[in-house]
Amino acid sequence: MTTEPRRVSFIFPIYNEEDNIDLLHKTVDEVIAPLAGRYEFSFLYIDDGSHDKSLEKLTELSQADPRVSVIELSRNFGHQMAVTAGLDLVDADAAIIMDSDMQDPPRVALELIEKWEQGYDVVYAQRRTRQDSAFKKVTASAFYWALRKMAAVDIPKNTGDFRLVDRKVVDELRKYRERDRFLRGLVSYIGFKQTAVMFDREKRHAGVTGYPLRKMLRFAADGILGFSVTPLRMITRFGYLISLLSFLGVLYVAGVKAFAPETAVPGWAFITIAMFFLGGIQIIMLGVLGSYIGRTYSQVQNRPLYGVASVRTGVPEMENADSRTASR
Ligand code: UDP
Ligand code: MG
């Protein structure tokens, strides 16, 4: 085995966090200090078009600490894109993605690393409690409930993007270039050995949330639409339901004709049943269109068809391609 320290890089998306950057960096640095000999740490800050003094702060930080790199995005692209930029540019054996407002407690990073050492490729931090507004808590749990019902993959509830991902997973993630990104869903989709670490989410230290309701709804839609075609399938089900009503209508009309013909209104039956029948057919046909659109959609997402975790052959040296190339 090699004795070189393993490299761990932190990815911090920054949007108007001028009053959090110094504290964040100081706290993380203190937390990881005991591990300094065993790991080589670096910090990747991504300024996502901040309007405040964040970029100045980051520049100062990079001048003071050689482990710090700063990426300045050309405008605000949103949290998911900022993290994506970080994942694209990070160069380490593992990356730890963390919010920069101290809501994700830096000390949890140690537990993430510990699990990684046990052989997990993804260690996500799962919230036991959170210090957010009642509104945010209610909407978040409704969202995760709906997402788990609909999504084709098992996306763990109460997790944000706070997690450690092994280099293998980073390499996989880089292949996913879809525009409407829901990273935590992609990480679940990719697979590998995943586990959770529980933590209590803190309050934001300073500044205001970069996720107003508008962005939150959009993000929720990215999660559901990106991992499920259930909404499209619902069209077909609704169409069948309406058609069923027309069938019940026929039974009702036949009943009236047979048992109480004197109450039958002329023409009523024909118009009502035809209405339900045609309505049903139309909606079913929309559903048919929907299923083709659904297929077109997943084709257009252009996701890799599968990911390979390892290849085992009869030759022992072939088991790990990395060790082969390393020994050359
Ligand atoms: N963030 C970002 N771009 C944005 C919005 C947010 O990079 O457009 C960053 C922000 O600086 C923080 C993280 O994403 O590090 C989470 O954002 P925030 O704390 O505002 O969201 P909340 O915790 O309120 O959901
Ligand atoms: Mg926050």
Side-chain angles (χ1 to χ4, degrees):
M1 276 305 281
T2 156
T3 49
E4 262 182 41
R6 297 176 95 187
R7 293 172 306 148
V8 177
S9 189
F10 285 85
I11 295 180
F12 294 121
I14 301 281
Y15 180 57
N16 299 341
E17 306 281 13
E18 56 181 2
D19 294 323
N20 294 321
I21 290 168
D22 288 337
L23 177 72
L24 174 74
H25 192 72
K26 192 171 141 277
T27 318
V28 175
D29 195 21
E30 278 166 16
V31 162
I32 59 167
L35 299 183
R38 286 166 44 210
Y39 298 94
E40 200 178 298
F41 287 103
S42 55
F43 308 89
L44 190 50
Y45 286 89
I46 299 99
D47 177 57
D48 184 19
S50 300
H51 309 300
D52 64 356
K53 297 240 166 359
S54 293
L55 189 61
E56 277 102 312
K57 288 260 178 198
L58 291 176
T59 312
E60 278 169 32
L61 205 61
S62 69
Q63 281 156 1
D65 187 339
R67 300 168 299 171
V68 170
S69 310
V70 180
I71 297 162
E72 179 194 357
L73 298 188
S74 53
R75 64 167 169 86
N76 178 248
F77 283 93
H79 173 221
Q80 298 289 299
M81 287 301 177
V83 174
T84 302
L87 287 166
D88 284 345
L89 293 160
V90 74
D91 180 22
D93 299 313
I96 297 179
I97 305 165
M98 225 165 121
D99 281 4
S100 314
D101 55 359
M102 304 295 288
Q103 285 202 283
D104 298 336
R107 66 190 132 70
V108 177
L110 297 183
E111 294 174 53
L112 300 183
I113 294 175
E114 210 178 293
K115 288 276 182 194
W116 177 51
E117 286 295 354
Q118 290 170 16
Y120 290 100
D121 302 308
V122 175
V123 190
Y124 52 88
Q126 194 162 31
R127 294 186 283 265
R128 192 164 26 213
T129 59
R130 66 190 295 176
Q131 309 280 325
D132 275 312
S133 65
F135 177 73
K136 182 131 190 173
K137 282 185 190 164
V138 169
T139 49
S141 53
F143 166 64
Y144 280 107
W145 177 82
L147 185 62
R148 288 176 67 85
K149 281 249 161 232
M150 292 188 203
V153 285
D154 196 14
I155 298 172
K157 62 174 188 229
N158 298 331
T159 57
D161 288 312
F162 185 18
R163 58 189 64 213
L164 177 148
V165 285
D166 187 89
R167 177 176 203 112
K168 289 190 282 234
V169 180
V170 175
D171 286 343
E172 265 324 296
L173 273 171
R174 286 179 185 162
K175 298 183 191 160
Y176 289 72
R177 303 318 292 175
E178 57 203 71
R179 305 194 60 83
D180 301 300
R181 299 176 81 76
F182 187 67
L183 281 169
R184 57 199 78 164
L186 286 180
V187 174
S188 301
Y189 188 86
I190 284 173
F192 288 97
K193 279 182 76 185
Q194 310 213 358
T195 190
V197 157
M198 301 302 285
F199 80 110
D200 298 297
R201 196 157 207 247
E202 305 284 342
K203 270 204 178 70
R204 166 175 268 279
H205 170 253
V208 291
T209 173
Y211 267 104
L213 186 62
R214 175 180 52 83
K215 274 194 192 170
M216 244 159 66
L217 288 176
R218 169 103 223 232
F219 187 55
D222 285 344
I224 290 176
L225 299 180
F227 290 90
S228 158
V229 286
T230 312
L232 284 175
R233 260 195 228 121
M234 270 155 48
I235 303 175
T236 318
R237 287 194 202 143
F238 191 63
Y240 283 131
L241 183 79
I242 300 278
S243 304
L244 181 75
L245 287 182
S246 81
F247 179 70
L248 293 180
V250 171
L251 291 183
Y252 174 73
V253 169
V256 169
K257 273 273 184 238
F259 300 109
E262 67 284 355
T263 62
V265 179
W268 175 89
F270 178 73
I271 289 175
T272 321
I273 291 172
M275 193 184 78
F276 278 116
F277 182 69
L278 282 178
I281 298 252
Q282 281 169 346
I283 295 171
I284 290 171
M285 287 308 150
L286 276 185
V288 171
L289 286 183
S291 5
Y292 283 100
I293 291 173
R295 280 158 181 262
T296 312
Y297 175 54
S298 51
Q299 190 70 40
V300 166
Q301 275 178 322
N302 208 9
R303 287 183 185 161
L305 301 181
Y306 51 81
V308 177
S310 78
V311 179
R312 285 172 227 277
T313 66
V315 189
E317 289 83 9
M318 292 289 282
E319 258 186 34
N320 186 343
D322 283 344
S323 69
R324 255 198 317 156
T325 41
S327 64
R328 272 194 193 143

